[in-house]
C-alpha cells in the first residue's frame, strides 16, 4: 500500500479542461494519498490551479504543451496536428514510457482511441480496442463493453470482448468466474445478428475456465444485473449506455417536478430527504464515469467530456482499481488460456 | 364519432393469453364505446371470459381456432403450422378482408411480422416493415422506429423509416412538420455507421416538406424529447427501448428501497404519496405499450407479450388513434411526395 500510483492526466481534455481535471485530481488525492500526478497541458492555465492546491502541487509535475486535441476533430486530423506534442499524446506517452501506471483523458474519444492504439499497441491476439463501462445495477455493478470504441463486430471480436470483460470483472468485482451474456434482441436462440449467434456458439462450446457464459441477454437485463459482463458491439453498446443515462435523468426530472407539485409533496420530500439523497447517489452517472480502454498494452481511462470534478475523480478511481489489481497481466493471461492468437497482421484503425 | 371502430384481437397471444386480452378489451370499450371486437382463439377459454362481461360480449364476436402460435417458435415454423388457421393468422386476415380496422396481438413478434407481411403486403416502395414505439419524454412523447422488426438497415430504409415515422407523428401528435433525428453514437458528422451518415445526407439534401430533419441524435436525447421522431435500425432500436424500460424499473426499485429505509422516509412517502403516484404513472411502461407495424398495407399493433390488461388496452388505444386519423392514407401520401418507388423486386424476409 505504500507503493506509489503514478497517474498521467490530460489537463486539456473535456468540455471544461484544466479546471475539472485539477479539481478531480485533488479529490482523488484526498482518497488515495499514495497517488502522484503528471499533468500535461497549458502551463498558463494549469499552474495557477495547482498553486491554489498546495497538497496536490506537492505530488504533481506539469509538462507544458500548447497543443490540445479539439473535441470535434476526426481522429486522423487530431493525429496530424497532435502527434508527438498534444497534451493527449504526451499523457498516453507517459504510460508507454512506464512513467505512469495509467492515463486519464476526458478528451475526444476517437482521437484518444487512435493515439492509444498508436502508442501503446494492442495486446497479443487483439485487433481492436474496446471501451468497458461500469454499469450500476440492482445487484451492484456490471461491466458493459464495447460502449463505443468501434462500430460493428465479428464473432471473434465479440468473444475477445467476453474474455477481456470477464478478466476486468474478476479484478474490479473480485468474482472468480464472472457470468457473461451477449446483448441481443430476444432470448430465443433464433433471433439476432449472425455474429452474435456465432459468438454464442463459440462461447458455449469453448467452456472457458475464466467465465460462465449464460446466453443472450436483452436491454432490460442490464439494469437487473442479470450477468456480470454484458458483451455487445460498440454502436448498440453506446446507444444502450446513453439511453440509460438519459432515462435516469428523465426519471430524476419527473421526481423533481412531482415533489414540487404540492405542499404535501414538498413536506414529504423534507421527511424523505435522506432517502432521496441515497437514490440520487445511486442514479448519479458520475459514479460510473470512466470507460476503461481494453485490449491495449497499457491502461487508458476515458472520462466523459462533460463531467465535473467528482466525475473526473471517479474516472481516476477506476484506473486506480485496475492498476492495483494488475488488469493487464490478468487479461493477457486469460487471452492466453482462451488460445487467442494474432489473426490479422493489420488491425483496422478505429475511428 | 358514431362511426364504429372494428378491432381484431388475437386472443391467444402473449404470456397470459385470453385473460389479459379480454380484460384489456373491456377497458378499451369503457373508454371508446364505439368499438366492436372480433376475438380469435380457443372458444373453451374465451367464451367464459366474455360471458362474465355482458357489455363486452354484446359488441363482440368470437371465431374459434385451436391453433395458436407459440412464443418461442421461429417465424418460419409458426408460418408452417399457423398459416390459414392460427389465431394470429385469422386476426390479421380480418384486417386484410376489411372486416376489422386494425389488429392487435401480444404474440410472437417475428411470427406476427412475417404473417402480417404475407397477408397484408407492403405499401408501395417499402421493402421491410418496421415497428414504431411511442416513447415518453420530458417534452411529451416521441416516436422511435424501428424497435425490432428487422436487423440492419441501408440508407434508403432509414429514409423510409423517417418518412413513415414522421407521418405517424403528424397523426398521433398533430404536428404539421415533425422534427426527425437519426440515432447515432456522436453528434459530429464524422461518426457513425456508413448507412446512417448516408441517410443523413439524403434527408438533408431532399428537404422533405413533411418532416424537419435536424441531424444526428444520441441515446440520451431520446428521453429529452429532442426530436419528435427518432430513426434507427431495429437491433439498436430494440436495445435502446428495452434498456430504457429496464432503467426506469431500476430507478423505481431504488425509490421503493429508499422509501422503506427509515421511519422518516416512510413518513415522507405518506405525505408525497400523490406525487409518487404521478411519477409512477409517467414511468409506467404500460402507458406506451403497443408498437405500430409500419410499412404494411393494413394496421397491426404489437402489444408486449408480458403486459397486463391495462397495457393491452393501451395497445388498443394506439390502434384506435391511428385508425381514427387514417394513418395508412397519410403514410402513402407522404411516401408518394418523397418519391419512393419500388427499388427491389424482392424484399428481404423479416425474421
Amino acid at each position: 500500500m505504500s507503493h506509489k500510483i503514478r497517474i498521467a492526466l490530460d489537463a486539456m481534455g473535456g468540455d471544461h479542461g484544466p479546471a475539472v481535471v485539477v479539481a478531480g485530481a485533488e479529490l482523488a488525492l484526498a482518497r488515495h494519498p499514495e497517488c502522484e500526478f503528471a499533468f500535461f497541458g497549458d502551463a498558463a492555465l494549469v499552474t495557477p490551479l495547482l498553486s491554489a492546491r498546495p497538497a496536490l502541487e506537492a505530488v504533481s509535475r506539469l509538462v507544458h504543451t500548447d497543443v490540445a486535441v479539439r473535441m470535434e476533430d476526426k481522429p486522423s486530423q487530431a493525429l496530424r496536428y497532435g502527434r508527438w506534442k498534444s497534451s493527449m499524446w504526451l499523457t498516453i506517452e507517459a504510460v508507454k514510457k512506464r512513467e505512469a501506471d495509467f492515463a486519464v483523458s476526458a478528451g475526444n474519444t476517437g482521437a484518444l482511441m487512435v493515439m492509444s492504439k498508436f502508442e501503446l499497441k494492442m495486446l497479443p491476439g487483439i485487433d481492436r480496442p474496446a471501451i468497458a463501462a461500469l454499469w450500476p445495477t440492482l445487484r451492484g455493478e456490471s461491466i458493459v463493453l464495447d460502449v463505443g470504441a468501434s462500430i460493428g463486430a465479428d464473432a471473434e471480436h465479440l468473444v475477445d470482448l467476453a474474455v477481456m470483460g470477464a478478466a476486468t470483472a474478476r479484478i474490479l468485482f473480485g468474482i472468480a468466474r464472472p457470468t457473461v451474456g451477449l446483448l441481443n434482441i430476444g432470448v430465443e436462440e433464433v433471433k439476432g445478428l449472425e455474429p452474435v449467434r456465432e459468438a454464442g456458439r463459440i462461447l458455449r462450446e469453448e467452456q472457458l475456465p475464466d467465465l460462465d457464459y449464460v446466453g443472450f441477454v436483452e436491454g432490460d437485463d442490464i439494469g437487473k444485473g442479470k450477468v456480470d459482463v454484458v458483451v455487445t458491439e460498440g454502436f448498440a453498446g453506446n446507444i444502450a449506455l446513453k439511453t440509460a443515462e438519459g432515462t435516469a435523468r428523465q426519471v430524476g426530472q419527473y421526481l423533481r417536478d412531482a415533489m414540487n407539485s404540492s405542499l404535501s409533496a414538498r413536506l414529504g420530500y423534507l421527511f424523505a430527504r435522506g432517502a432521496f439523497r441515497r437514490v440520487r447517489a445511486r442514479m448519479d452517472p458520475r459514479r460510473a464515469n470512466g470507460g476503461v480502454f481494453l485490449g491495449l498494452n497499457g491502461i487508458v481511462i476515458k472520462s466523459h467530456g462533460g463531467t465535473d470534478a467528482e466525475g473526473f475523480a471517479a474516472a481516476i478511481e477506476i484506473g486506480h482499481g485496475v492498476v492495483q489489481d494488475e488488469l493487464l497481466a490478468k487479461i493477457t493471461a486469460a487471452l492466453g488460456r482462451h488460445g487467442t492468437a494474432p489473426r490479422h497482421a493489420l488491425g483496422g484503425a478505429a475511428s
Side-chain angles (χ1 to χ4, degrees), chain A residues 175-207:
Chain A
I175 302 169
R177 199 159 176 256
T179 52
V180 175
L182 285 167
L183 193 59
N184 202 344
I185 69 168
V187 288
E188 304 99 79
E189 287 294 313
V190 295
K191 287 188 180 170
L193 291 163
E194 196 42 57
V196 179
R197 277 186 254 174
E198 172 67 8
R201 196 190 54 70
I202 295 172
L203 287 169
R204 221 169 28 246
E205 288 176 3
E206 285 205 5
Q207 291 279 346

PDB file of all heavy atoms in Angstrom, chain A residues 175-207:
ATOM      1  N   ILE A 175     -14.726 -11.509  -8.513  1.00  0.00           N
ATOM      2  CA  ILE A 175     -15.509 -12.722  -8.778  1.00  0.00           C
ATOM      3  C   ILE A 175     -14.623 -13.695  -9.563  1.00  0.00           C
ATOM      4  O   ILE A 175     -14.041 -13.312 -10.575  1.00  0.00           O
ATOM      5  CB  ILE A 175     -16.761 -12.389  -9.630  1.00  0.00           C
ATOM      6  CG1 ILE A 175     -17.630 -11.360  -8.911  1.00  0.00           C
ATOM      7  CG2 ILE A 175     -17.548 -13.643  -9.946  1.00  0.00           C
ATOM      8  CD1 ILE A 175     -18.718 -10.789  -9.802  1.00  0.00           C
ATOM      9  N   ALA A 176     -14.561 -14.932  -9.112  1.00  0.00           N
ATOM     10  CA  ALA A 176     -13.647 -15.884  -9.746  1.00  0.00           C
ATOM     11  C   ALA A 176     -14.055 -16.191 -11.189  1.00  0.00           C
ATOM     12  O   ALA A 176     -13.224 -16.212 -12.094  1.00  0.00           O
ATOM     13  CB  ALA A 176     -13.603 -17.180  -8.938  1.00  0.00           C
ATOM     14  N   ARG A 177     -15.343 -16.434 -11.392  1.00  0.00           N
ATOM     15  CA  ARG A 177     -15.801 -16.829 -12.736  1.00  0.00           C
ATOM     16  C   ARG A 177     -17.044 -16.009 -13.084  1.00  0.00           C
ATOM     17  O   ARG A 177     -18.165 -16.473 -12.897  1.00  0.00           O
ATOM     18  CB  ARG A 177     -16.091 -18.337 -12.731  1.00  0.00           C
ATOM     19  CG  ARG A 177     -16.126 -18.954 -14.103  1.00  0.00           C
ATOM     20  CD  ARG A 177     -15.898 -20.464 -14.064  1.00  0.00           C
ATOM     21  NE  ARG A 177     -16.029 -21.005 -15.412  1.00  0.00           N
ATOM     22  CZ  ARG A 177     -17.090 -21.689 -15.859  1.00  0.00           C
ATOM     23  NH1 ARG A 177     -18.094 -21.959 -15.057  1.00  0.00           N
ATOM     24  NH2 ARG A 177     -17.129 -22.114 -17.105  1.00  0.00           N
ATOM     25  N   PRO A 178     -16.829 -14.790 -13.578  1.00  0.00           N
ATOM     26  CA  PRO A 178     -17.966 -13.889 -13.822  1.00  0.00           C
ATOM     27  C   PRO A 178     -18.925 -14.459 -14.867  1.00  0.00           C
ATOM     28  O   PRO A 178     -18.502 -15.152 -15.796  1.00  0.00           O
ATOM     29  CB  PRO A 178     -17.313 -12.611 -14.356  1.00  0.00           C
ATOM     30  CG  PRO A 178     -15.867 -12.721 -14.019  1.00  0.00           C
ATOM     31  CD  PRO A 178     -15.541 -14.181 -13.962  1.00  0.00           C
ATOM     32  N   THR A 179     -20.204 -14.168 -14.696  1.00  0.00           N
ATOM     33  CA  THR A 179     -21.194 -14.556 -15.698  1.00  0.00           C
ATOM     34  C   THR A 179     -21.149 -13.555 -16.854  1.00  0.00           C
ATOM     35  O   THR A 179     -20.965 -12.355 -16.649  1.00  0.00           O
ATOM     36  CB  THR A 179     -22.611 -14.578 -15.109  1.00  0.00           C
ATOM     37  OG1 THR A 179     -22.864 -13.328 -14.457  1.00  0.00           O
ATOM     38  CG2 THR A 179     -22.749 -15.691 -14.087  1.00  0.00           C
ATOM     39  N   VAL A 180     -21.321 -14.075 -18.055  1.00  0.00           N
ATOM     40  CA  VAL A 180     -21.219 -13.254 -19.268  1.00  0.00           C
ATOM     41  C   VAL A 180     -22.449 -13.494 -20.137  1.00  0.00           C
ATOM     42  O   VAL A 180     -22.862 -14.644 -20.328  1.00  0.00           O
ATOM     43  CB  VAL A 180     -19.952 -13.621 -20.077  1.00  0.00           C
ATOM     44  CG1 VAL A 180     -19.911 -12.862 -21.392  1.00  0.00           C
ATOM     45  CG2 VAL A 180     -18.695 -13.357 -19.261  1.00  0.00           C
ATOM     46  N   GLY A 181     -23.052 -12.421 -20.643  1.00  0.00           N
ATOM     47  CA  GLY A 181     -24.159 -12.533 -21.581  1.00  0.00           C
ATOM     48  C   GLY A 181     -23.890 -11.721 -22.830  1.00  0.00           C
ATOM     49  O   GLY A 181     -23.180 -10.718 -22.781  1.00  0.00           O
ATOM     50  N   LEU A 182     -24.434 -12.183 -23.942  1.00  0.00           N
ATOM     51  CA  LEU A 182     -24.336 -11.433 -25.199  1.00  0.00           C
ATOM     52  C   LEU A 182     -25.616 -10.627 -25.388  1.00  0.00           C
ATOM     53  O   LEU A 182     -26.717 -11.184 -25.354  1.00  0.00           O
ATOM     54  CB  LEU A 182     -24.178 -12.393 -26.376  1.00  0.00           C
ATOM     55  CG  LEU A 182     -22.814 -13.048 -26.559  1.00  0.00           C
ATOM     56  CD1 LEU A 182     -22.918 -14.202 -27.564  1.00  0.00           C
ATOM     57  CD2 LEU A 182     -21.789 -12.028 -27.063  1.00  0.00           C
ATOM     58  N   LEU A 183     -25.468  -9.333 -25.600  1.00  0.00           N
ATOM     59  CA  LEU A 183     -26.639  -8.477 -25.781  1.00  0.00           C
ATOM     60  C   LEU A 183     -27.289  -8.780 -27.127  1.00  0.00           C
ATOM     61  O   LEU A 183     -26.629  -8.791 -28.163  1.00  0.00           O
ATOM     62  CB  LEU A 183     -26.223  -7.009 -25.703  1.00  0.00           C
ATOM     63  CG  LEU A 183     -27.327  -5.969 -25.572  1.00  0.00           C
ATOM     64  CD1 LEU A 183     -28.168  -6.189 -24.323  1.00  0.00           C
ATOM     65  CD2 LEU A 183     -26.740  -4.553 -25.541  1.00  0.00           C
ATOM     66  N   ASN A 184     -28.593  -9.045 -27.073  1.00  0.00           N
ATOM     67  CA  ASN A 184     -29.304  -9.416 -28.289  1.00  0.00           C
ATOM     68  C   ASN A 184     -30.739  -8.896 -28.179  1.00  0.00           C
ATOM     69  O   ASN A 184     -31.118  -8.315 -27.163  1.00  0.00           O
ATOM     70  CB  ASN A 184     -29.279 -10.943 -28.452  1.00  0.00           C
ATOM     71  CG  ASN A 184     -29.512 -11.372 -29.895  1.00  0.00           C
ATOM     72  OD1 ASN A 184     -29.986 -10.598 -30.730  1.00  0.00           O
ATOM     73  ND2 ASN A 184     -29.189 -12.616 -30.192  1.00  0.00           N
ATOM     74  N   ILE A 185     -31.520  -9.105 -29.238  1.00  0.00           N
ATOM     75  CA  ILE A 185     -32.867  -8.545 -29.178  1.00  0.00           C
ATOM     76  C   ILE A 185     -33.911  -9.632 -28.970  1.00  0.00           C
ATOM     77  O   ILE A 185     -35.029  -9.530 -29.422  1.00  0.00           O
ATOM     78  CB  ILE A 185     -33.198  -7.668 -30.398  1.00  0.00           C
ATOM     79  CG1 ILE A 185     -33.333  -8.483 -31.678  1.00  0.00           C
ATOM     80  CG2 ILE A 185     -32.133  -6.623 -30.598  1.00  0.00           C
ATOM     81  CD1 ILE A 185     -33.945  -7.665 -32.826  1.00  0.00           C
ATOM     82  N   GLY A 186     -33.571 -10.658 -28.238  1.00  0.00           N
ATOM     83  CA  GLY A 186     -34.513 -11.718 -27.925  1.00  0.00           C
ATOM     84  C   GLY A 186     -33.712 -12.823 -27.290  1.00  0.00           C
ATOM     85  O   GLY A 186     -32.576 -13.050 -27.682  1.00  0.00           O
ATOM     86  N   VAL A 187     -34.303 -13.478 -26.306  1.00  0.00           N
ATOM     87  CA  VAL A 187     -33.534 -14.522 -25.634  1.00  0.00           C
ATOM     88  C   VAL A 187     -33.552 -15.822 -26.404  1.00  0.00           C
ATOM     89  O   VAL A 187     -32.752 -16.706 -26.166  1.00  0.00           O
ATOM     90  CB  VAL A 187     -34.039 -14.770 -24.202  1.00  0.00           C
ATOM     91  CG1 VAL A 187     -33.638 -13.605 -23.317  1.00  0.00           C
ATOM     92  CG2 VAL A 187     -35.528 -14.980 -24.173  1.00  0.00           C
ATOM     93  N   GLU A 188     -34.479 -15.965 -27.339  1.00  0.00           N
ATOM     94  CA  GLU A 188     -34.533 -17.206 -28.105  1.00  0.00           C
ATOM     95  C   GLU A 188     -33.300 -17.333 -28.995  1.00  0.00           C
ATOM     96  O   GLU A 188     -32.784 -16.359 -29.502  1.00  0.00           O
ATOM     97  CB  GLU A 188     -35.780 -17.252 -29.001  1.00  0.00           C
ATOM     98  CG  GLU A 188     -37.068 -17.083 -28.270  1.00  0.00           C
ATOM     99  CD  GLU A 188     -37.568 -15.657 -28.390  1.00  0.00           C
ATOM    100  OE1 GLU A 188     -38.119 -15.327 -29.436  1.00  0.00           O
ATOM    101  OE2 GLU A 188     -37.387 -14.878 -27.441  1.00  0.00           O
ATOM    102  N   GLU A 189     -32.901 -18.571 -29.192  1.00  0.00           N
ATOM    103  CA  GLU A 189     -31.711 -18.856 -29.997  1.00  0.00           C
ATOM    104  C   GLU A 189     -31.865 -18.350 -31.430  1.00  0.00           C
ATOM    105  O   GLU A 189     -30.888 -18.133 -32.132  1.00  0.00           O
ATOM    106  CB  GLU A 189     -31.464 -20.367 -30.022  1.00  0.00           C
ATOM    107  CG  GLU A 189     -30.941 -20.929 -28.717  1.00  0.00           C
ATOM    108  CD  GLU A 189     -29.556 -20.408 -28.378  1.00  0.00           C
ATOM    109  OE1 GLU A 189     -28.686 -20.406 -29.245  1.00  0.00           O
ATOM    110  OE2 GLU A 189     -29.370 -19.985 -27.223  1.00  0.00           O
ATOM    111  N   VAL A 190     -33.106 -18.217 -31.862  1.00  0.00           N
ATOM    112  CA  VAL A 190     -33.327 -17.945 -33.279  1.00  0.00           C
ATOM    113  C   VAL A 190     -33.099 -16.497 -33.677  1.00  0.00           C
ATOM    114  O   VAL A 190     -32.989 -16.188 -34.855  1.00  0.00           O
ATOM    115  CB  VAL A 190     -34.770 -18.313 -33.676  1.00  0.00           C
ATOM    116  CG1 VAL A 190     -34.974 -19.798 -33.541  1.00  0.00           C
ATOM    117  CG2 VAL A 190     -35.779 -17.562 -32.833  1.00  0.00           C
ATOM    118  N   LYS A 191     -33.033 -15.628 -32.695  1.00  0.00           N
ATOM    119  CA  LYS A 191     -33.035 -14.215 -33.050  1.00  0.00           C
ATOM    120  C   LYS A 191     -31.634 -13.630 -33.182  1.00  0.00           C
ATOM    121  O   LYS A 191     -30.675 -14.186 -32.730  1.00  0.00           O
ATOM    122  CB  LYS A 191     -33.789 -13.426 -31.981  1.00  0.00           C
ATOM    123  CG  LYS A 191     -35.285 -13.642 -32.062  1.00  0.00           C
ATOM    124  CD  LYS A 191     -35.990 -12.684 -31.125  1.00  0.00           C
ATOM    125  CE  LYS A 191     -37.488 -12.865 -31.172  1.00  0.00           C
ATOM    126  NZ  LYS A 191     -38.134 -12.109 -30.092  1.00  0.00           N
ATOM    127  N   GLY A 192     -31.570 -12.464 -33.765  1.00  0.00           N
ATOM    128  CA  GLY A 192     -30.383 -11.651 -33.654  1.00  0.00           C
ATOM    129  C   GLY A 192     -29.411 -11.744 -34.800  1.00  0.00           C
ATOM    130  O   GLY A 192     -29.573 -12.495 -35.740  1.00  0.00           O
ATOM    131  N   LEU A 193     -28.409 -10.955 -34.681  1.00  0.00           N
ATOM    132  CA  LEU A 193     -27.405 -10.841 -35.720  1.00  0.00           C
ATOM    133  C   LEU A 193     -26.557 -12.104 -35.805  1.00  0.00           C
ATOM    134  O   LEU A 193     -26.261 -12.732 -34.795  1.00  0.00           O
ATOM    135  CB  LEU A 193     -26.487  -9.662 -35.385  1.00  0.00           C
ATOM    136  CG  LEU A 193     -27.098  -8.278 -35.488  1.00  0.00           C
ATOM    137  CD1 LEU A 193     -26.235  -7.274 -34.755  1.00  0.00           C
ATOM    138  CD2 LEU A 193     -27.236  -7.880 -36.943  1.00  0.00           C
ATOM    139  N   GLU A 194     -26.125 -12.404 -36.992  1.00  0.00           N
ATOM    140  CA  GLU A 194     -25.327 -13.612 -37.219  1.00  0.00           C
ATOM    141  C   GLU A 194     -24.058 -13.644 -36.357  1.00  0.00           C
ATOM    142  O   GLU A 194     -23.792 -14.664 -35.714  1.00  0.00           O
ATOM    143  CB  GLU A 194     -25.001 -13.729 -38.714  1.00  0.00           C
ATOM    144  CG  GLU A 194     -24.529 -15.093 -39.149  1.00  0.00           C
ATOM    145  CD  GLU A 194     -25.328 -16.221 -38.512  1.00  0.00           C
ATOM    146  OE1 GLU A 194     -26.568 -16.258 -38.674  1.00  0.00           O
ATOM    147  OE2 GLU A 194     -24.708 -17.057 -37.828  1.00  0.00           O
ATOM    148  N   PRO A 195     -23.285 -12.554 -36.276  1.00  0.00           N
ATOM    149  CA  PRO A 195     -22.067 -12.628 -35.452  1.00  0.00           C
ATOM    150  C   PRO A 195     -22.392 -12.880 -33.977  1.00  0.00           C
ATOM    151  O   PRO A 195     -21.622 -13.545 -33.284  1.00  0.00           O
ATOM    152  CB  PRO A 195     -21.435 -11.244 -35.624  1.00  0.00           C
ATOM    153  CG  PRO A 195     -22.045 -10.672 -36.857  1.00  0.00           C
ATOM    154  CD  PRO A 195     -23.410 -11.274 -36.977  1.00  0.00           C
ATOM    155  N   VAL A 196     -23.527 -12.358 -33.509  1.00  0.00           N
ATOM    156  CA  VAL A 196     -23.901 -12.565 -32.114  1.00  0.00           C
ATOM    157  C   VAL A 196     -24.224 -14.031 -31.876  1.00  0.00           C
ATOM    158  O   VAL A 196     -23.796 -14.640 -30.886  1.00  0.00           O
ATOM    159  CB  VAL A 196     -25.107 -11.668 -31.735  1.00  0.00           C
ATOM    160  CG1 VAL A 196     -25.523 -11.895 -30.283  1.00  0.00           C
ATOM    161  CG2 VAL A 196     -24.791 -10.206 -31.972  1.00  0.00           C
ATOM    162  N   ARG A 197     -24.958 -14.630 -32.823  1.00  0.00           N
ATOM    163  CA  ARG A 197     -25.285 -16.051 -32.694  1.00  0.00           C
ATOM    164  C   ARG A 197     -24.023 -16.904 -32.727  1.00  0.00           C
ATOM    165  O   ARG A 197     -23.845 -17.819 -31.950  1.00  0.00           O
ATOM    166  CB  ARG A 197     -26.202 -16.473 -33.854  1.00  0.00           C
ATOM    167  CG  ARG A 197     -27.652 -16.153 -33.581  1.00  0.00           C
ATOM    168  CD  ARG A 197     -28.513 -16.734 -34.696  1.00  0.00           C
ATOM    169  NE  ARG A 197     -28.970 -15.665 -35.556  1.00  0.00           N
ATOM    170  CZ  ARG A 197     -29.635 -15.852 -36.684  1.00  0.00           C
ATOM    171  NH1 ARG A 197     -29.892 -17.066 -37.118  1.00  0.00           N
ATOM    172  NH2 ARG A 197     -30.050 -14.828 -37.396  1.00  0.00           N
ATOM    173  N   GLU A 198     -23.141 -16.563 -33.669  1.00  0.00           N
ATOM    174  CA  GLU A 198     -21.905 -17.339 -33.832  1.00  0.00           C
ATOM    175  C   GLU A 198     -21.029 -17.200 -32.576  1.00  0.00           C
ATOM    176  O   GLU A 198     -20.468 -18.186 -32.089  1.00  0.00           O
ATOM    177  CB  GLU A 198     -21.170 -16.826 -35.084  1.00  0.00           C
ATOM    178  CG  GLU A 198     -19.780 -17.377 -35.317  1.00  0.00           C
ATOM    179  CD  GLU A 198     -19.757 -18.855 -35.654  1.00  0.00           C
ATOM    180  OE1 GLU A 198     -20.834 -19.447 -35.855  1.00  0.00           O
ATOM    181  OE2 GLU A 198     -18.647 -19.435 -35.675  1.00  0.00           O
ATOM    182  N   ALA A 199     -20.947 -15.993 -32.023  1.00  0.00           N
ATOM    183  CA  ALA A 199     -20.172 -15.810 -30.787  1.00  0.00           C
ATOM    184  C   ALA A 199     -20.782 -16.633 -29.656  1.00  0.00           C
ATOM    185  O   ALA A 199     -20.061 -17.226 -28.844  1.00  0.00           O
ATOM    186  CB  ALA A 199     -20.132 -14.321 -30.408  1.00  0.00           C
ATOM    187  N   GLY A 200     -22.108 -16.694 -29.607  1.00  0.00           N
ATOM    188  CA  GLY A 200     -22.778 -17.501 -28.591  1.00  0.00           C
ATOM    189  C   GLY A 200     -22.404 -18.967 -28.726  1.00  0.00           C
ATOM    190  O   GLY A 200     -22.132 -19.654 -27.737  1.00  0.00           O
ATOM    191  N   ARG A 201     -22.358 -19.438 -29.957  1.00  0.00           N
ATOM    192  CA  ARG A 201     -21.992 -20.833 -30.196  1.00  0.00           C
ATOM    193  C   ARG A 201     -20.557 -21.100 -29.723  1.00  0.00           C
ATOM    194  O   ARG A 201     -20.295 -22.082 -29.009  1.00  0.00           O
ATOM    195  CB  ARG A 201     -22.115 -21.132 -31.698  1.00  0.00           C
ATOM    196  CG  ARG A 201     -22.150 -22.612 -32.065  1.00  0.00           C
ATOM    197  CD  ARG A 201     -22.032 -22.829 -33.569  1.00  0.00           C
ATOM    198  NE  ARG A 201     -20.870 -22.180 -34.173  1.00  0.00           N
ATOM    199  CZ  ARG A 201     -19.601 -22.555 -33.987  1.00  0.00           C
ATOM    200  NH1 ARG A 201     -19.313 -23.577 -33.213  1.00  0.00           N
ATOM    201  NH2 ARG A 201     -18.605 -21.894 -34.578  1.00  0.00           N
ATOM    202  N   ILE A 202     -19.643 -20.194 -30.080  1.00  0.00           N
ATOM    203  CA  ILE A 202     -18.242 -20.381 -29.683  1.00  0.00           C
ATOM    204  C   ILE A 202     -18.120 -20.399 -28.159  1.00  0.00           C
ATOM    205  O   ILE A 202     -17.483 -21.280 -27.574  1.00  0.00           O
ATOM    206  CB  ILE A 202     -17.349 -19.261 -30.277  1.00  0.00           C
ATOM    207  CG1 ILE A 202     -17.334 -19.346 -31.806  1.00  0.00           C
ATOM    208  CG2 ILE A 202     -15.932 -19.343 -29.710  1.00  0.00           C
ATOM    209  CD1 ILE A 202     -16.626 -18.164 -32.474  1.00  0.00           C
ATOM    210  N   LEU A 203     -18.750 -19.432 -27.503  1.00  0.00           N
ATOM    211  CA  LEU A 203     -18.622 -19.338 -26.043  1.00  0.00           C
ATOM    212  C   LEU A 203     -19.234 -20.558 -25.357  1.00  0.00           C
ATOM    213  O   LEU A 203     -18.731 -21.022 -24.338  1.00  0.00           O
ATOM    214  CB  LEU A 203     -19.291 -18.052 -25.533  1.00  0.00           C
ATOM    215  CG  LEU A 203     -18.520 -16.758 -25.843  1.00  0.00           C
ATOM    216  CD1 LEU A 203     -19.385 -15.533 -25.553  1.00  0.00           C
ATOM    217  CD2 LEU A 203     -17.225 -16.694 -25.026  1.00  0.00           C
ATOM    218  N   ARG A 204     -20.331 -21.065 -25.929  1.00  0.00           N
ATOM    219  CA  ARG A 204     -20.965 -22.240 -25.338  1.00  0.00           C
ATOM    220  C   ARG A 204     -20.072 -23.463 -25.497  1.00  0.00           C
ATOM    221  O   ARG A 204     -19.906 -24.257 -24.578  1.00  0.00           O
ATOM    222  CB  ARG A 204     -22.309 -22.484 -26.023  1.00  0.00           C
ATOM    223  CG  ARG A 204     -23.415 -22.887 -25.094  1.00  0.00           C
ATOM    224  CD  ARG A 204     -24.793 -22.856 -25.756  1.00  0.00           C
ATOM    225  NE  ARG A 204     -24.786 -23.090 -27.171  1.00  0.00           N
ATOM    226  CZ  ARG A 204     -25.120 -22.183 -28.090  1.00  0.00           C
ATOM    227  NH1 ARG A 204     -25.513 -20.973 -27.720  1.00  0.00           N
ATOM    228  NH2 ARG A 204     -25.082 -22.470 -29.369  1.00  0.00           N
ATOM    229  N   GLU A 205     -19.475 -23.576 -26.665  1.00  0.00           N
ATOM    230  CA  GLU A 205     -18.674 -24.774 -26.935  1.00  0.00           C
ATOM    231  C   GLU A 205     -17.318 -24.738 -26.254  1.00  0.00           C
ATOM    232  O   GLU A 205     -16.817 -25.765 -25.811  1.00  0.00           O
ATOM    233  CB  GLU A 205     -18.501 -24.948 -28.449  1.00  0.00           C
ATOM    234  CG  GLU A 205     -19.791 -25.400 -29.113  1.00  0.00           C
ATOM    235  CD  GLU A 205     -19.683 -25.478 -30.623  1.00  0.00           C
ATOM    236  OE1 GLU A 205     -18.575 -25.238 -31.156  1.00  0.00           O
ATOM    237  OE2 GLU A 205     -20.717 -25.770 -31.257  1.00  0.00           O
ATOM    238  N   GLU A 206     -16.726 -23.536 -26.164  1.00  0.00           N
ATOM    239  CA  GLU A 206     -15.363 -23.467 -25.619  1.00  0.00           C
ATOM    240  C   GLU A 206     -15.336 -23.690 -24.115  1.00  0.00           C
ATOM    241  O   GLU A 206     -14.318 -24.115 -23.572  1.00  0.00           O
ATOM    242  CB  GLU A 206     -14.714 -22.128 -25.970  1.00  0.00           C
ATOM    243  CG  GLU A 206     -14.292 -22.060 -27.430  1.00  0.00           C
ATOM    244  CD  GLU A 206     -13.160 -21.057 -27.652  1.00  0.00           C
ATOM    245  OE1 GLU A 206     -12.649 -20.486 -26.663  1.00  0.00           O
ATOM    246  OE2 GLU A 206     -12.793 -20.846 -28.816  1.00  0.00           O
ATOM    247  N   GLN A 207     -16.448 -23.374 -23.426  1.00  0.00           N
ATOM    248  CA  GLN A 207     -16.494 -23.578 -21.971  1.00  0.00           C
ATOM    249  C   GLN A 207     -15.239 -23.033 -21.299  1.00  0.00           C
ATOM    250  O   GLN A 207     -14.505 -23.765 -20.641  1.00  0.00           O
ATOM    251  CB  GLN A 207     -16.642 -25.074 -21.650  1.00  0.00           C
ATOM    252  CG  GLN A 207     -17.982 -25.660 -22.020  1.00  0.00           C
ATOM    253  CD  GLN A 207     -19.050 -25.366 -20.990  1.00  0.00           C
ATOM    254  OE1 GLN A 207     -18.728 -24.937 -19.870  1.00  0.00           O
ATOM    255  NE2 GLN A 207     -20.314 -25.549 -21.325  1.00  0.00           N
TER     256      GLN A 207
END
